[in-house]
Amino acid sequence: MRYSQLLLPTTKETPAEAEVVSHQLLVRGGFIRKLTSGMYTYLPLGFLALQKVVGIVREEMNRAGAQEILMPMVQPGDLWQESGRWKKYGPELLRFQDRHDRDYCLGPTHEEVVTDIARRELQSYRQLPINLYQIQTKFRDEIRPRFGLMRGREFMMKDAYSFDVDDAGANRSYEIMRQAYTRIFARCGLEFRAVEADSGTIGGSYSHEFMVLAETGEDTLVICDTCPYAANVEKAAIAPPDETGADSMRSEVRKVATPGLKQVDKVAEFFKISQSGVIKTMIYLADGEPVAALVRGDREVQPVKMKNLLGANEVEVLDEEQVWQRTRLPVGYLGPMGLGIKVVADQEVMRMVDAVAGANEKGFHCTGVNPGRDFQPDVAGDLRQIAADDRCPVCGGGLRLKEGIEVGHIFKLGTNYSEAMHATFQGSDGQQNPFIMGCYGIGVSRVVAAAIEQNHDAKGIIFPVPLAPFQVIVLNLNPKDETFCRVADGLYNDLRAHGLDVLYDDRDERPGSKFNDADLLGIPYRLTVGKTYEKEGKVELRSRRTGATEVWALDEAVAHIAGLVRQVPA
Ligand code: ATP
Ligand code: MG
């Protein structure tokens, strides 16, 4: 492609709202333009990068035996009523009516539609197993669309759904997808980990997330130093703590004035105890109802664990103002005794002895608080987030925490959807059985953003070769000179004849701005017809990643570059 003819509006300006580097660079590099909150147009370069991901995903899905289909993006509400998700899904589901007042939604995911296909088209065990996938635009009315392509409202997803006759078959289908995903992200040239994950709204018994490791990731992973255990902190289980000893020596509850002491550390300091001796009480809204969550003062509440313990669809922490409005309770002095709202406690809290907790009265805390004796939570269990000083739940080894971007998610769904929607097939015994299902998603557009989060420097993007919209950029630094044009044209044509994706910077621009744009766009190899050509009739090849430059004779340069690009495993 000739740069002079390409819609490639690079800019020095970074939108104020672009908090993360991929968002900034995608806008500055002219890859995307915002239409409205969470919705973007892919300009030519953005579309090419997206298509690189699509190509790899499609090849590996086909290689794994999945079959590509395309389902409608608009889905009838009736199907969602059948699955039970019309009520459950919440405000992320964009709902609307047609001219006959019938309910519809924009597809955030396609379990309902594909299950409807299965119950109509798959009658016999002989047609199974089968895995159907599509690559399609999804819509989720995210509460906080942000970070450009990372969390859009409209985004590109690959979603696949497997149907099996029994559990063993479903496990095999899951394993095939786990391996396909591993190949996909390796082929994209990304550093990633597969981790154990919570099953979320889609529901199901078992799941893994594929995480691209990057500091800006919205997810936190816990990774064991000694065994293969790796999990999302939302999921990482914590074993119940040991029983405490005899309780004969416990103190009585005593109310103590603690004016102005609202933080756990201040309270601990005042009572000359460690933070682990304080009960921390936080107020959340769980499906619209205020709930108090209790953890030890040195721990954090894990909201997904809380959601699961309560069987809620959504939990959200409330700030001081919101707590006051809803409950008239004084944040900073909250405690589990006499709260008057539902209480969920971490298992560790239930083992505390003579703890300090808020008195639910402004300026007062209580000492000698003993769970079980002085208060009884409505629910107790594993509520807190795992921390770096915890031990591995599998082998007891040391743990590390890392940030990650979720680019893929695979679930074993079991019969959740097939039972709700009466999707059955005839087994070899003649009986009607529900399909055992699995579902498998990849955030295709998020992969582009994640690749940039992981691969960039101060000058711009450093695309992994397999995802680069162009593999090579040819710079003609003297486009007014006929000889230069002839040489650069020749290289451009030769490189393309070798099957490479080439951007030809034939613009009449200063060399400095051509170099800057080439760096910004992150094209892996830069071939310059400039000073070296003038002096010795040779061209300069530079690697965007390493910055190393080499000088090549005209008749050798092209084959050499083709060799470099092909080194990438397919
Ligand atoms: P998240 O926790 O990030 O919201 P999710 O668990 O809701 O993700 P899934 O329902 O598993 O996501 O969707 C499959 C994949 O689609 C995710 O792994 C992710 O890569 C991608 N994805 C989900 N939501 C978005 C979004 N708002 N923008 C871009 N990609 C997304
Ligand atoms: Mg989500």
Side-chain angles (χ1 to χ4, degrees):
M1 195 74 206
R2 284 176 183 267
Y3 202 138
S4 58
Q5 290 158 19
L6 189 60
L7 178 58
L8 179 41
T10 59
T11 152
K12 289 206 168 58
E13 265 116 79
T14 308
E17 62 180 19
E19 297 167 59
V20 296
V21 74
S22 64
H23 189 184
Q24 294 162 3
L25 293 176
L26 284 167
V27 173
R28 281 184 47 208
F31 291 78
I32 58 169
R33 286 293 180 262
K34 178 170 153 180
L35 176 63
T36 180
S37 171
M39 291 156 68
Y40 294 87
T41 296
Y42 298 86
L43 295 181
L45 239 66
F47 188 71
L48 286 170
L50 191 71
Q51 290 311 308
K52 288 285 169 95
V53 181
V54 166
I56 293 170
V57 168
R58 181 173 278 136
E59 254 180 59
E60 292 301 330
M61 290 304 291
N62 291 344
R63 191 202 296 257
Q67 302 173 36
E68 187 165 4
I69 61 173
L70 184 59
M71 293 178 267
M73 192 204 174
V74 173
Q75 306 184 9
D78 293 350
L79 278 184
W80 286 70
Q81 297 281 8
E82 274 193 68
S83 73
R85 284 208 294 186
W86 190 253
K87 275 217 186 78
K88 250 174 115 180
Y89 207 95
E92 258 186 39
L93 189 67
L94 185 65
R95 302 156 210 247
F96 54 95
Q97 268 126 31
D98 70 2
R99 64 171 83 202
H100 306 294
D101 296 329
R102 288 191 201 103
D103 285 327
Y104 288 87
C105 63
L106 287 185
T109 171
H110 277 65
E111 283 78 13
E112 281 79 1
V113 180
V114 80
T115 305
D116 183 59
I117 301 273
R119 68 181 171 186
R120 289 168 193 270
E121 309 302 333
L122 304 172
Q123 275 88 38
S124 155
Y125 70 95
R126 289 196 186 84
Q127 295 169 280
L128 304 176
I130 194 166
N131 184 327
L132 301 172
Y133 80 97
Q134 62 174 350
I135 298 169
Q136 187 206 38
T137 299
K138 296 282 187 274
F139 194 93
R140 294 182 182 182
D141 202 354
E142 295 275 353
I143 183 165
R144 236 169 269 112
R146 56 180 183 165
F147 302 161
L149 296 189
M150 206 102 92
R151 183 169 298 285
R153 294 200 294 165
E154 191 174 303
F155 60 98
M156 187 68 75
M157 199 202 285
K158 184 285 300 174
D159 46 327
Y161 307 88
S162 64
F163 299 85
D164 275 274
V165 293
D166 55 21
D167 213 47
N171 289 346
R172 271 195 302 278
S173 295
Y174 186 89
E175 182 57 21
I176 289 169
M177 281 297 107
R178 206 178 58 77
Q179 287 174 15
Y181 273 43
T182 304
R183 286 186 59 88
I184 286 168
F185 296 118
R187 274 189 63 186
C188 287
L190 298 170
E191 197 194 335
F192 69 98
R193 287 292 292 248
V195 303
E196 290 180 19
D198 182 66
S199 317
T201 323
I202 293 181
S205 46
Y206 196 57
S207 91
H208 283 90
E209 284 164 345
F210 287 75
M211 296 282 186
V212 166
L213 303 180
E215 278 161 24
T216 43
E218 290 184 280
D219 284 277
T220 307
L221 328 178
V222 55
I223 299 174
C224 179
D225 280 329
T226 34
C227 83
Y229 179 77
N232 192 317
V233 292
E234 294 173 357
K235 165 84 177 177
I238 296 165
D242 297 334
E243 290 287 336
T244 41
D247 55 4
S248 52
M249 301 295 286
R250 293 184 185 199
S251 316
E252 290 305 305
V253 175
R254 205 161 57 87
K255 199 162 96 180
V256 181
T258 53
L261 303 181
K262 293 174 79 177
Q263 276 91 29
V264 171
D265 54 344
K266 297 275 159 38
V267 172
E269 202 181 303
F270 176 81
F271 287 104
K272 300 195 170 51
I273 56 172
S274 78
Q275 294 187 27
S276 61
V278 179
I279 297 176
K280 184 156 74 180
T281 307
M282 314 263 298
I283 309 294
Y284 284 75
L285 209 57
D287 293 345
E289 179 201 354
V291 178
L294 312 180
V295 288
R296 236 170 60 177
D298 56 337
R299 307 298 198 189
E300 299 301 329
V301 175
Q302 169 40 250
V304 172
K305 287 185 177 180
M306 177 167 176
K307 206 171 78 171
N308 292 341
L309 272 176
L310 293 169
N313 290 319
E314 263 190 341
V315 303
E316 190 192 336
V317 71
L318 296 182
D319 63 23
E320 185 164 354
E321 177 74 31
Q322 294 165 318
V323 171
W324 181 253
Q325 274 172 6
R326 286 186 177 264
T327 63
R328 300 284 148 190
L329 286 166
V331 166
Y333 304 99
L334 299 180
M337 295 180 300
L339 258 176
I341 59 173
K342 195 173 198 173
V343 174
V344 49
D346 183 52
Q347 51 193 0
E348 216 173 31
V349 167
M350 299 313 290
R351 300 278 192 270
M352 290 171 80
V353 173
D354 290 345
V356 169
N360 297 320
E361 188 180 329
K362 194 162 181 230
F364 289 92
H365 279 79
C366 292
T367 59
V369 176
N370 285 278
R373 184 193 72 182
D374 302 320
F375 71 91
Q376 202 52 259
D378 297 275
V379 189
D382 180 5
L383 178 65
R384 75 169 172 93
Q385 180 150 314
I386 202 161
D389 58 0
D390 277 306
R391 310 307 296 172
C392 170
V394 175
C395 76
L399 295 174
R400 258 174 315 139
L401 295 184
K402 264 189 183 294
E403 266 59 60
I405 301 167
E406 180 197 323
V407 287
H409 200 168
I410 59 178
F411 298 86
K412 233 186 101 180
L413 290 174
T415 55
N416 287 8
Y417 291 90
S418 47
E419 278 181 6
M421 295 179 62
H422 307 289
T424 60
F425 63 95
Q426 190 171 53
S428 53
D429 55 1
Q431 299 290 312
Q432 287 294 318
N433 301 316
F435 297 102
I436 319 287
M437 291 172 58
C439 77
Y440 317 92
I442 290 181
V444 173
S445 44
R446 188 183 279 181
V447 171
V448 175
I452 297 170
E453 291 297 331
Q454 197 177 70
N455 300 278
H456 65 268
D457 62 14
K459 292 179 172 162
I461 303 170
I462 307 175
F463 269 115
V465 176
L467 301 189
F470 295 101
Q471 295 150 339
V472 191
I473 182 166
V474 175
L475 301 190
N476 179 359
L477 295 191
N478 203 352
K480 290 201 174 114
D481 181 300
E482 241 176 66
T483 326
F484 268 69
C485 288
R486 209 182 53 243
V487 169
D489 282 5
L491 290 168
Y492 171 54
N493 289 329
D494 271 9
L495 285 162
R496 286 195 304 158
H498 273 76
L500 301 184
D501 302 324
V502 193
L503 179 59
Y504 177 17
D505 193 348
D506 58 343
R507 295 173 303 164
D508 186 13
E509 291 276 347
R510 288 179 303 105
S513 79
K514 291 192 173 188
F515 288 137
N516 286 344
D517 278 340
D519 281 343
L520 174 62
L521 301 178
I523 300 172
Y525 297 106
R526 187 184 82 190
L527 190 62
T528 309
V529 187
K531 281 213 175 72
T532 330
Y533 178 72
E534 213 164 77
K535 277 195 218 138
E536 24 178 334
K538 292 183 172 174
V539 283
E540 188 196 80
L541 175 65
R542 182 169 178 276
S543 153
R544 175 69 181 89
R545 191 171 288 277
T546 66
T549 54
E550 298 167 0
V551 171
W552 283 87
L554 283 183
D555 56 349
E556 290 170 0
V558 170
H560 177 69
I561 296 169
L564 288 175
V565 169
R566 299 250 152 69
Q567 270 172 18
V568 177

